[in-house]
Amino acid sequence: MTVTSRLILLGTGVPTPNLQRGSASSGIILDDEVILVDCGHGTVHSLIKAGEDPLRIRNVFFTHHHFDHDVDFPYFMLTGWIMGRSKPVEVYGPKGTVEFTESIFKTFNIDISCRLETGIQTKDGLDIRAHDIDEDFSIGGEKWRVTCKRVEHLKQLGNFTLGYRFDMNDGSSVAFSGDTLPCDAVVELARDVDVLVHECFFSPEFEETGLVQDRKKKHPKLPFIHTGAKEVGAIARRAGAKKLVLTHLWSEKKLDELERRVRSEYDGKILIGYDGMALNLR
Ligand SMILES: [Zn+2]
Ligand SMILES: [Zn+2]
């Protein structure tokens, strides 16, 4: 069966609060389901604003467990529970994913117990099937298949960050870098992909204040863990990605300069992401 595959950006910001941008989250919209990639702050509201029913999500993929990528997951699970979710949610992510999902039941024990005790809710809809996965894991159904690779982020903690690629049965494809330094794993993952969603570190404010350099001086062990604008362009060019969507954005300023820097390395279509941006993969 052929499906129409679309991408929606649900959160395009970073850990710092930003009223224009939630934190990291994207959805792949198929005929009757939405696959979620990361679940940062604002994900559920962003889905609803876009007219997508959170109850259609059966599969969640985490790139890593920085809080800007997972903090809305308890809200997603608990709101879905009280809204009538009836099927289990499959959750995949690097090491720490099972522990993270189990922690919800401890953190929200009072509320969950209360609702179960009064009989207003049953355990239906709270069923999480979590899986710690690693690179070269692959799984799929009749409409899509996912593959993943470790990317360069969280090195000091064992580098448990995954980039993902989804190939749909209509022939379309999308890859997600996750948070990462520029790395060959993303080039391999995104080979000839229709859409590459890549994080991008660009901030005129940081450049003006020298904040990054200052932090490096104060904390010499602090590794830099993101990809600059020019480097994102180079990754997309090397991968042969047909479209490049920039996300994980740190600033609203000088977006034309951001595009100019990416363009210096990449001549495909560049889209600067915003919350709610939706596009056909093909
Ligand atoms: Zn991160
Ligand atoms: Zn992040």
Side-chain angles (χ1 to χ4, degrees):
M1 190 177 73
T2 304
V3 297
T4 307
S5 311
R6 286 170 66 71
L7 167 73
I8 182 162
L9 303 184
L10 300 165
T12 54
V14 293
T16 322
N18 177 335
L19 297 179
Q20 275 81 51
R21 298 181 190 273
S23 55
S25 182
S26 304
I28 301 167
I29 304 172
L30 303 171
D31 278 344
D32 59 355
E33 66 172 304
V34 180
I35 301 166
L36 199 59
V37 179
D38 284 332
C39 194
H41 169 72
T43 298
V44 173
H45 288 183
S46 205
L47 269 166
I48 294 169
K49 263 190 213 159
E52 297 298 333
D53 183 353
L55 298 183
R56 290 170 66 207
I57 294 169
R58 299 267 171 270
N59 293 279
V60 179
F61 292 85
F62 285 115
T63 59
H64 65 303
H65 290 289
H66 272 151
F67 77 84
D68 55 317
H69 296 250
D70 64 16
V71 73
D72 222 34
F73 183 74
Y75 186 67
F76 161 71
M77 283 308 303
L78 294 166
T79 51
W81 183 41
I82 61 170
M83 286 160 64
R85 182 192 293 114
S86 58
K87 292 186 181 157
V89 179
E90 302 282 344
V91 183
Y92 303 88
K95 185 179 170 186
T97 297
V98 171
E99 189 184 351
F100 168 71
T101 57
E102 283 172 355
S103 71
I104 292 178
F105 298 100
K106 199 171 171 196
T107 308
F108 298 95
N109 178 40
I110 290 177
D111 189 331
I112 291 170
S113 302
C114 202
R115 287 171 197 272
L116 291 174
E117 191 66 31
T118 57
I120 195 168
Q121 296 286 142
T122 67
K123 281 188 174 166
D124 282 355
L126 262 192
D127 193 0
I128 300 173
R129 298 188 186 161
H131 314 266
D132 284 359
I133 59 171
D134 208 338
E135 67 176 355
D136 297 328
F137 170 86
S138 180
I139 196 168
E142 62 181 72
K143 293 178 190 165
W144 54 273
R145 173 152 290 277
V146 63
T147 47
C148 60
K149 285 199 177 293
R150 272 201 207 189
V151 295
E152 303 273 324
H153 194 67
L154 292 177
K155 249 189 167 164
Q156 71 278 32
L157 292 176
N159 213 12
F160 292 111
T161 304
L162 296 171
Y164 291 100
R165 177 189 178 118
F166 294 82
D167 285 281
M168 265 51 81
N169 81 340
D170 63 359
S172 63
S173 52
V174 57
F176 299 89
S177 67
D179 285 6
T180 185
L181 283 164
C183 72
D184 290 344
V186 176
V187 175
E188 287 169 36
L189 206 56
R191 183 72 65 204
D192 299 323
V193 78
D194 287 317
V195 180
L196 169 59
V197 182
H198 205 298
E199 73 123 290
C200 187
F201 186 87
F202 172 75
S203 166
E205 291 92 334
F206 288 173
E207 287 177 17
E208 280 158 21
T209 59
L211 185 82
V212 175
Q213 288 79 357
D214 275 3
R215 282 181 85 184
K216 246 186 177 165
K217 262 187 224 157
K218 278 183 202 147
H219 309 280
K221 280 189 188 166
L222 188 73
F224 188 71
I225 52 178
H226 295 289
T227 301
K230 228 177 136 180
E231 295 162 318
V232 176
I235 296 282
R237 173 177 45 74
R238 288 175 58 209
K242 295 181 187 82
K243 265 184 211 162
L244 172 62
V245 175
L246 305 175
T247 191
H248 211 270
L249 299 170
W250 296 78
S251 174
E252 307 306 318
K253 284 191 180 167
K254 297 190 182 172
L255 295 180
D256 52 341
E257 170 63 11
L258 164 61
E259 185 167 344
R260 197 191 61 73
R261 289 188 197 181
V262 178
R263 175 67 66 211
S264 70
E265 291 285 342
Y266 175 67
D267 61 9
K269 183 156 182 154
I270 300 167
L271 297 166
I272 297 176
Y274 57 85
D275 290 13
M277 176 191 274
L279 60 146
N280 288 339
L281 292 182
R282 274 213 169 145

